[in-house]
Structure formats: structure tokens, C-alpha cells
């Protein structure tokens, strides 16, 4: 399994070069990533056993990875961006005076229909025919199901979230043609136009909306992003400043303001803006942005969703209890069969857990094999048609659950503290046994030496009997057992309490950092560790004192242990946005956001980028805000981002796909009970907040 994992790591190096056509800045980042990856690979291979290394090399040659790695390294080291992208300083687009001069006048409500008609025709001509046809099929299907204009618009937004950008754009164009005055749809259509390379077509629409809704942060942000895409920084900054005056934590506005500040050489302002964007919604793009500015995000830089663990016993470890430590010889004799049976019962439980663990390992092995095959398919595809595979498609092969990066950053500190607490408890036991406990043991041993010398007086002519020595030995043993085992039991219970916290927190963390099908194996391992701790079979080599050799004792009762059933932790996040009736749903769980589209309407094999070369270069970041449908919406304009102000959810998207979902409204909302659940999505409202992205691509309109 290690060889397969290393092979996947190796092919990832090649994928770095082949997965996209990057900008100049991205190429420099790729070179750095390649250097780091090669160093890690060399470290791994240098430590291999010679026989294993030979088998590894053979495996590389078998799949042709070696040559492809050489080609990849050559491309990264020697290649450059295929298009200049018209950048002014590597951060801000050059001013597109021709496009700016061609911006149409702001349409009125009366002639909005004609404007949308012309814009729609341009859209249909720009998208790939397959995307236009799919969008038309979806449109007809939604009509047959009686979908409203709002629901059709939200279906287009859901397609966008799912990465079907050209289909989403085509559907939204058709929906806006049907109703040219639906403000939510007009905003989303304008945002899509900007993000696919036509900001000059988006601005007239947004100007109209801005005239109707003067202080709507979504509209203002989208205007700022459109002007930024055209290279007019002054105009962009005007709208983005106003956006931030209304919504200081707006992620997309802050991210673009970071680029503007960085382009102007103001590193302090750039870092502050990037940190705010990062806090509002995590993405690898923002993490890299901060890293390039010399700032490494800490635990306090992440937002607080998902929430911290508030259940102190997810696994029900507290339902188990070990038998008592004996405090006298009589109790030792009474407790001995109880402890033996307790450990025998645990052994049977451990065998069942081991089967679960083995099955999970087998699943992991199969997953690694599938990833290996998928990597080879991606590499072969990019070799045949460079640029045909988006970074999103390539990264999804090995991508961890959506919240993994964020939760690892936050949970690592918690887990380290709990691990230290457990280690401190173990150290206290060790110090006791070497100190106070050791002194008690020596005192007992010395007393027994004196008692055992009396054996010489047993027999004919002596005044000492075996019964007398036995009872004196029991008295000395009881005097030792009570203080020794009482203190040790208390210390070990402290150790168990610390371990209980650690194991439960590890179970909670795994909900967000591991795919569901692998969780049973992880939970089985945690449960097995608890059982071993209770049986004292793996606790660093110590055990309670147990004296059984004396028979001159009265019967005693022993306090037995308790074995019950473990609980398997379940994800408390279960929000569904959308309408299964219409065939569009987005389901949020601890693993991430899953977008489901009716298989009868759209092919499940259709690639996110429709095999459009350069998609990854031209894709812009965006935030999709979801909220309940309220009557005030018509007066306030499109739904606004930064859900901390109310209830709903913000979905963060960059070129790798969905990177974060932040749900507001409390635990009930996260569990799908509150307004962010079934009342949102198709039955609620969805708004797109466009953002900046790579400067290398030109979008589908160019």
C-alpha cells in the first residue's frame, strides 16, 4: 500500500505540470511546488530498502510514469504561459480601453427585454454547442415540471456551483429572456458574464440594478469586479470600497482589494484584506495569497464553521467502566476472576473491531488503486490534448473532504493540547510508581522479609504457626495494597479521563477530515484503543498490585466492570438546498457539498469544463449566497453575502471547485432544521458574488 501511495504522490508531481496552462505567476508557484515535491519524493526513495526501491522503479516503468515525470519537469522548468493575459503588473489586468468604450448605455426597465435578447444571443454564440443543447433540455424539463422563473434561475445557480458553468450561463440567459425584470436572475446573469470573460456586457445590467437598489453589497461588489476585470482600478476601487463600507467582511471584495493593494506595493493593507477574505471563507487560493505575502494563517485566522465539538462523549466511552483495583488480599482474590473475565470479553470485542479495521484498510487500498488509474487517465488525456483537464478535475482525484484543511488547522491545536494532557497523566503514574508508590512497595518488601524470617520458628519446638505467619502477611499486604492501589487507581482514572477526551475529539475531527466510507475503520481503531486502556493491556507496562498467595482471608465482594455498546459519531451537518422535485439539489454534510442534477436531464459524465482548454485559467472566484425567500427581498435587491448578519449559507468557489461553505443561524440551521435547510435553495434565493481570478485566461467570450 505504501508503494501505491508513493506512486500517487509521484504522479501528482507530473499532474502539476499538465493539469492546466498557468499564468506567469502560477508558473512560478508551480516551480516552487515542484521543487518541494521532488525533495519529498527524494527523501522517501532514499530511505527505501534496495529491494523495495527496485520494485518501485519497476512499477513506475510499468505505467510509464518515469518518462511522463521527466516531461512534466521539463515543461514546468522551461514552459511559460501560453497567453500573456494582458496583465499590467502581474496582479491587475491591463486597462481594456476598447471593451470599456464599447460598454452599452444602461437599459431602462422598458427596454431591458431587448437588451437581454441581444446579450442572450451573444451568450448562445459563445458557449459550446453541447452546453447550449444541454441547457435547452434542462429548460424544457423545468417548464414541464411547472418550475417558476425564480426556481429556474436557482437551478442555473446550482449548475454553476456544480461546475457546469457554460450550461449554467446558457440556462440563465434563457431564463432572463423570459423575465427581463427578475432582479435576482439579472444579478446572477451579470456575475456569470463577468466570470466568463464579458464584464463589459455585465456592467449595463448591474448599473440598472444599482439604480434600483443603492446600497446592495452584492450588486456593488459585482460592479467592482467587472471594472477590475476591465483593468479600470479606479472605478473598481470605488465600488469595492462602498461594498466594504456596507459589508466589511465581504470575501470577494476583500480579496480583490488585496490584489489592488499588492499591485500598488502596500503590503500591510494587502495582508489585512487577504486575512479578512480568508476568515470569511477558506480557499487554497487565499491561503496561497497570504503565503506569497509572507503571512502563514494561524488558528485564529479561520472562521468558526464548522463549530467546535460540544459533545464530550461522541463514542459513548463513558458507558464503559473497568473493574475496581483491589484494596486488600481478600479483594484481590475476589477480583481476580472478575478481571480475567473482563479481559476475555474485551478480547472478543477487539477481534470484531479488528475485522472492521481490516475491511477499512482494504477500502483504502482500493481507493488508492482507483486514484492511481485516474491519475494515469488524466496524464494521458493532458498529453494528448494539453489544457483539456481543468485543475479542479485533476485535484478532485486526491482531494480531501472540503473542511479537512480548515479543521486540521483548528483541531491540531486542540488535539495537541489533549495529547499533552494524556502524556502528563501517564507521567504522573510513572512518577508515582518511581516515587511514592515505589517507597510503599519497598516498605512492604522489607516487612515481608522480616515476616518470612519467622518461618524458621515454625514446627516442632517453635512458637510460630503457618496460620500466624499467613495472617501477619495478609495484614502487611493489606497495609500496602490499600494506599498503593487507591492512589494508582485515581491516577489511572485521570489518565482514562484524558484519553477519553482525546479519542472523542479525534472521532469528531475525523468526521470532517475523512471520507464517510473510511470512518468505520477509524472509529474501530479508537474504540479498540479504549478497550485496551480499560483492560490495562497496553498502558506502558504498569498494573495494579495483585496479591493472591494467601488463603487465610475471609470472602469479599468485588466491584465488576461494565461493557456496553459504542456509538458511531454522526455528522450533525445535514443541510439540503434545492428541490429534488425539479432534479437539482445541493447537500451539505461534514464531507462537503454535493450537487446532484437529474440524471435524465444532464449526463453524469459531462466534464466540469466541457473539455474547454484554458477553463482553469479563466475561471474567477465567486461566492454563492443562499437564504430563505422573504417578502423584503424585492425591496432590498439580490441576497447579500456575509451570512453572519442573518441566516443562510455562503458557498466559496475557486478554480479547484467548492472550497468552503459557511452556514449561519446556529446549530439548527447547520442540521437542516432552520432557514438554511429546506426553505433555501430552489424554494429560497441564491445570489452570485463574482470575484477576481487568474489573469491568464480570456474566458469563452474572447
Amino acid at each position: 500500500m505504501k508503494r501505491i501511495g508513493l506512486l500517487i504522490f509521484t504522479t501528482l508531481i507530473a499532474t502539476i505540470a499538465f493539469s492546466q496552462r498557468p499564468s506567469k505567476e502560477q508558473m512560478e508557484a508551480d516551480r516552487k511546488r515542484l521543487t518541494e515535491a521532488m525533495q519529498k519524493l527524494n527523501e522517501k526513495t532514499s530511505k527505501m530498502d534496495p529491494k523495495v526501491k527496485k520494485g518501485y522503479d519497476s512499477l513506475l516503468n510499468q505505467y510509464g510514469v518515469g518518462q511522463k515525470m521527466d516531461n512534466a519537469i521539463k515543461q514546468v522548468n522551461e514552459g511559460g504561459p501560453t497567453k500573456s493575459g494582458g496583465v499590467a503588473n502581474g496582479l491587475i489586468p491591463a486597462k481594456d480601453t476598447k471593451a470599456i468604450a464599447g460598454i452599452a448605455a444602461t437599459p431602462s426597465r422598458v427596454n431591458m427585454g431587448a437588451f437581454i435578447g441581444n446579450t442572450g444571443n451573444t451568450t448562445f454564440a459563445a458557449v459550446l454547442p453541447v452546453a447550449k443543447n444541454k441547457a435547452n433540455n434542462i429548460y424544457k424539463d423545468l417548464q414541464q415540471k411547472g418550475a417558476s422563473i425564480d426556481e429556474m434561475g436557482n437551478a442555473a445557480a446550482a449548475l454553476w456551483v456544480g461546475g457546469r458553468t457554460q450550461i449554467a450561463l446558457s440556462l440563465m440567459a434563457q431564463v432572463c429572456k423570459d423575465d427581463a425584470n427578475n432582479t435576482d436572475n439579472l444579478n446572477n446573469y451579470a456575475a456569470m458574464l463577468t466570470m466568463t470573460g464579458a464584464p463589459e456586457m455585465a456592467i449595463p445590467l448591474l448599473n440598472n440594478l444599482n439604480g434600483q437598489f443603492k446600497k446592495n453589497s452584492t450588486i456593488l461588489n459585482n460592479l467592482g469586479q467587472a471594472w477590475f476585470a476591465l483593468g479600470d482600478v479606479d472605478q473598481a476601487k470605488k465600488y469595492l470600497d462602498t461594498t466594504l463600507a456596507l459589508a466589511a467582511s465581504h470575501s470577494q471584495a476583500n480579496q480583490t482589494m488585496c490584489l489592488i493593494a499588492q499591485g500598488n506595493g502596500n503590503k500591510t493593507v494587502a495582508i489585512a484584506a487577504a486575512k479578512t477574505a480568508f476568515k470569511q471563507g477558506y480557499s487554497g487560493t487565499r491561503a496561497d495569497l497570504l503565503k506569497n505575502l509572507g503571512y502563514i494563517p494561524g488558528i485564529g485566522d479561520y472562521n468558526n464553521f464548522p463549530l467546535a465539538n460540544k459533545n464530550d462523549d461522541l463514542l459513548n466511552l463513558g458507558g464503559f467502566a473497568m473493574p475496581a483495583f483491589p484494596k486488600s488480599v481478600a479483594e484481590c482474590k475476589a477480583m481476580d476472576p472478575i478481571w480475567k473475565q473482563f479481559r476475555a470479553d474485551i478480547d472478543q470485542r477487539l477481534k470484531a473491531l479488528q475485522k472492521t479495521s481490516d475491511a477499512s484498510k482494504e477500502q483504502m487500498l482500493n481507493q488508492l488503486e482507483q486514484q492511481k488509474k485516474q491519475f494515469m487517465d488524466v496524464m494521458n488525456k493532458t498529453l494528448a490534448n494539453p489544457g483539456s483537464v481543468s485543475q479542479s478535475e485533476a485535484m478532485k482525484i486526491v482531494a480531501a473532504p472540503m473542511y479537512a484543511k480548515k479543521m486540521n488547522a483548528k483541531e491540531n491545536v486542540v488535539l495537541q493540547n489533549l495529547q499533552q494532557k494524556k502524556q502528563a497523566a501517564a507521567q504522573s503514574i510513572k512518577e508515582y510508581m518511581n516515587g511514592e508508590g515505589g517507597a510503599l512497595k519497598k516498605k512492604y518488601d522489607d516487612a515481608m522479609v522480616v515476616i518470612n524470617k519467622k518461618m524458621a520458628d515454625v514446627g516442632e519446638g517453635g512458637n510460630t504457626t503457618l496460620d500466624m505467619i499467613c495472617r501477619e502477611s495478609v495484614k502487611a499486604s493489606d497495609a500496602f495494597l490499600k494506599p498503593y492501589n487507591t492512589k494508582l487507581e485515581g491516577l489511572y482514572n485521570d489518565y482514562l479521563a484524558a484519553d477519553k477526551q482525546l479519542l472523542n475529539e479525534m472521532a469528531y475531527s475525523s468526521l470532517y477530515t475523512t471520507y464517510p466510507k473510511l470512518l468505520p475503520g477509524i472509529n474501530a481503531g479508537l474504540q479498540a484503543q479504549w478497550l485496551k486502556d480499560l483492560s490495562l493491556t497496553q498502558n506502558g507496562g504498569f498494573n495494579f498490585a495483585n496479591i493472591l498467595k494467601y488463603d487465610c482471608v475471609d470472602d469479599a465482594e468485588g466491584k465488576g466492570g461494565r461493557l456496553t455498546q459504542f456509538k458511531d459519531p454522526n455528522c450533525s451537518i445535514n443541510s439540503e438546498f434545492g428541490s429534488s422535485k425539479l432534479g437539482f439539489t445541493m447537500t451539505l454534510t461534514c464531507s462537503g457539498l454535493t450537487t446532484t442534477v437529474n440524471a435524465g436531464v444532464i449526463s453524469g459524465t459531462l466534464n466540469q469544463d466541457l473539455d474547454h482548454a484554458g477553463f482553469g485559467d479563466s475561471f474567477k472566484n465567486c461566492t454563492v449566497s443562499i437564504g430563505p425567500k422573504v417578502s423584503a427581498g424585492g425591496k432590498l435587491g439580490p441576497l447579500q453575502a456575509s451570512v453572519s448578519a442573518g441566516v443562510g449559507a455562503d458557498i466559496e468557489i475557486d478554480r479547484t471547485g467548492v472550497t468552503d461553505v459557511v452556514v449561519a443561524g446556529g446549530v439548527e440551521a447547520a442540521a437542516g432544521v432552520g432557514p438554511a435547510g429546506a426553505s433555501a435553495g430552489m424554494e429560497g434565493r441564491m445570489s452570485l458574488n463574482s470575484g477576481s481570478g487568474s489573469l491568464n485566461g480570456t474566458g469563452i467570450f474572447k
Side-chain angles (χ1 to χ4, degrees), residues 183-195 198-200 202-203 205-207 209-210 216-230 235-236 239-240 243 250 252-253 256 621-623 638-639 641 687-692:
T183 55
D184 282 349
N185 289 341
L186 288 178
N187 169 76
N188 293 344
Y189 183 34
M192 291 179 182
L193 287 171
T194 296
M195 290 187 284
E200 67 277 13
I203 287 174
L205 294 174
L206 293 168
N207 282 337
L209 295 174
N210 193 38
N216 185 284
S217 62
T218 295
I219 297 170
L220 291 165
N221 169 73
N222 288 345
L223 271 167
Q225 302 294 350
W227 283 109
F228 181 80
L230 290 170
Q235 281 281 68
Y239 287 111
L240 295 176
T243 301
H250 196 288
Q252 299 301 340
T256 302
N621 305 303
C622 71
T623 302
L639 194 67
S687 290
L688 270 63
N689 280 264
S690 58
S692 57

Side-chain angles (χ1 to χ4, degrees), residues 192-340:
M192 291 179 182
L193 287 171
T194 296
M195 290 187 284
T196 50
E200 67 277 13
M201 293 168 59
I203 287 174
L205 294 174
L206 293 168
N207 282 337
N208 174 283
L209 295 174
N210 193 38
Q212 298 180 58
F213 311 104
K214 294 293 186 182
K215 294 184 178 181
N216 185 284
S217 62
T218 295
I219 297 170
L220 291 165
N221 169 73
N222 288 345
L223 271 167
Q225 302 294 350
W227 283 109
F228 181 80
L230 290 170
D232 193 328
V233 176
D234 291 337
Q235 281 281 68
K237 195 170 183 300
K238 179 182 74 172
Y239 287 111
L240 295 176
D241 279 339
T242 308
T243 301
L244 295 177
L246 296 168
S249 61
H250 196 288
S251 62
Q252 299 301 340
N254 272 292
Q255 184 170 341
T256 302
M257 289 296 281
C258 166
L259 297 177
I260 293 174
Q262 192 177 0
N264 292 332
N266 195 331
K267 185 177 179 180
T268 301
V269 173
I271 291 176
K275 286 174 65 177
T276 303
F278 185 87
K279 181 90 172 181
Q280 188 62 26
Y282 168 82
S283 76
T285 299
R286 290 171 185 159
D288 290 341
L289 192 60
L290 284 168
K291 187 176 180 181
N292 291 336
L293 287 166
Y295 183 87
I296 305 300
I299 185 172
D301 293 309
Y302 293 84
N303 57 53
N304 62 0
F305 190 85
L307 303 174
N309 180 23
K310 295 183 179 180
N311 187 330
D312 63 355
D313 199 5
L314 283 171
L315 296 167
N316 191 35
L317 305 184
F320 294 73
M322 64 180 180
F325 286 14
K327 312 302 190 303
S328 66
V329 174
E331 287 187 11
C332 285
K333 297 178 79 67
M335 292 298 301
D336 189 56
I338 292 175
W339 268 101
K340 286 180 178 178

Side-chain angles (χ1 to χ4, degrees), residues 242-496:
T242 308
T243 301
L244 295 177
L246 296 168
S249 61
H250 196 288
S251 62
Q252 299 301 340
N254 272 292
Q255 184 170 341
T256 302
M257 289 296 281
C258 166
L259 297 177
I260 293 174
Q262 192 177 0
N264 292 332
N266 195 331
K267 185 177 179 180
T268 301
V269 173
I271 291 176
K275 286 174 65 177
T276 303
F278 185 87
K279 181 90 172 181
Q280 188 62 26
Y282 168 82
S283 76
T285 299
R286 290 171 185 159
D288 290 341
L289 192 60
L290 284 168
K291 187 176 180 181
N292 291 336
L293 287 166
Y295 183 87
I296 305 300
I299 185 172
D301 293 309
Y302 293 84
N303 57 53
N304 62 0
F305 190 85
L307 303 174
N309 180 23
K310 295 183 179 180
N311 187 330
D312 63 355
D313 199 5
L314 283 171
L315 296 167
N316 191 35
L317 305 184
F320 294 73
M322 64 180 180
F325 286 14
K327 312 302 190 303
S328 66
V329 174
E331 287 187 11
C332 285
K333 297 178 79 67
M335 292 298 301
D336 189 56
I338 292 175
W339 268 101
K340 286 180 178 178
Q341 185 60 52
F342 182 75
R343 286 167 172 157
D345 292 341
I346 282 180
D347 286 342
Q348 292 301 313
R349 297 257 189 140
L350 289 174
K351 290 177 182 178
L353 290 172
Q354 186 61 49
K355 290 182 179 179
T356 302
S357 181
D358 290 343
S360 182
K361 289 178 182 177
E362 184 67 26
Q363 282 188 315
M364 175 63 77
L365 183 62
N366 292 336
Q367 182 170 315
L368 291 173
E369 287 281 6
Q370 291 173 4
Q371 288 176 339
K372 178 182 68 176
K373 294 176 182 177
Q374 288 174 314
F375 263 121
M376 297 309 303
D377 290 342
V378 166
M379 293 176 64
N380 289 330
K381 187 176 181 180
T382 51
L383 283 170
N385 182 17
S388 63
V389 179
S390 69
Q391 180 172 333
S392 173
E393 185 179 349
M395 294 305 294
K396 280 181 180 178
I397 298 174
V398 291
M402 181 183 67
Y403 290 119
K405 193 93 173 183
K406 181 163 61 170
M407 286 301 291
N408 277 330
K410 297 196 300 184
E411 281 290 297
N412 280 348
V413 176
V414 177
L415 292 173
Q416 286 174 7
N417 290 337
L418 292 177
Q419 183 66 45
Q420 290 172 0
K421 185 177 180 180
K422 176 182 174 180
Q423 290 172 347
Q427 181 64 26
S428 295
I429 293 174
K430 183 178 180 181
E431 290 174 356
Y432 169 73
M433 296 187 72
N434 292 332
E436 180 186 350
L440 288 172
K441 181 68 166 59
K442 185 178 185 305
K443 182 180 178 181
Y444 169 67
D445 290 341
D446 292 343
M448 291 308 300
V449 169
V450 174
I451 292 173
N452 288 333
K453 286 181 179 180
K454 296 180 180 181
M455 288 293 294
D457 296 331
V458 175
E460 188 175 347
N463 58 0
T464 302
T465 66
L466 289 175
D467 183 67
M468 292 172 60
I469 292 177
C470 179
R471 294 188 180 281
E472 189 174 355
S473 298
V474 168
K475 183 178 180 180
S477 297
D478 288 349
F480 161 66
L481 286 168
K482 185 173 182 179
Y484 184 87
N485 277 350
T486 298
K487 181 67 175 288
L488 183 61
E489 186 176 35
L491 291 173
Y492 195 63
N493 279 326
D494 291 342
Y495 172 85
L496 288 176

Side-chain angles (χ1 to χ4, degrees), residues 22 138 166 195 213 231 284 291 325 369 407 419 507 579 581 596 606 612 619 621 673 678 695:
I138 293 171
Q166 293 197 38
M195 290 187 284
F213 311 104
K291 187 176 180 181
F325 286 14
E369 287 281 6
M407 286 301 291
Q419 183 66 45
S579 170
K581 178 188 74 173
T596 303
L606 190 64
H612 173 61
F619 188 78
N621 305 303
V673 178
L695 301 181

Side-chain angles (χ1 to χ4, degrees), residues 116 119-128 131-132 135-136 138 152-153 155-161 163-177 185-198 201-202 205 610 688 699-701:
I116 289 295
T119 305
N121 291 335
T122 304
T123 299
F124 296 140
V127 300
L128 293 174
K132 179 182 176 181
N136 189 48
I138 293 171
M152 288 186 180
L159 283 163
W160 185 273
V161 173
R164 322 287 188 170
T165 52
Q166 293 197 38
I167 300 175
L169 180 63
S170 298
L171 179 59
M172 189 64 82
Q174 182 61 56
V175 171
C176 288
K177 273 191 171 186
N185 289 341
L186 288 178
N187 169 76
N188 293 344
Y189 183 34
M192 291 179 182
L193 287 171
T194 296
M195 290 187 284
T196 50
M201 293 168 59
L205 294 174
L610 295 163
L688 270 63
I700 65 174
F701 287 89

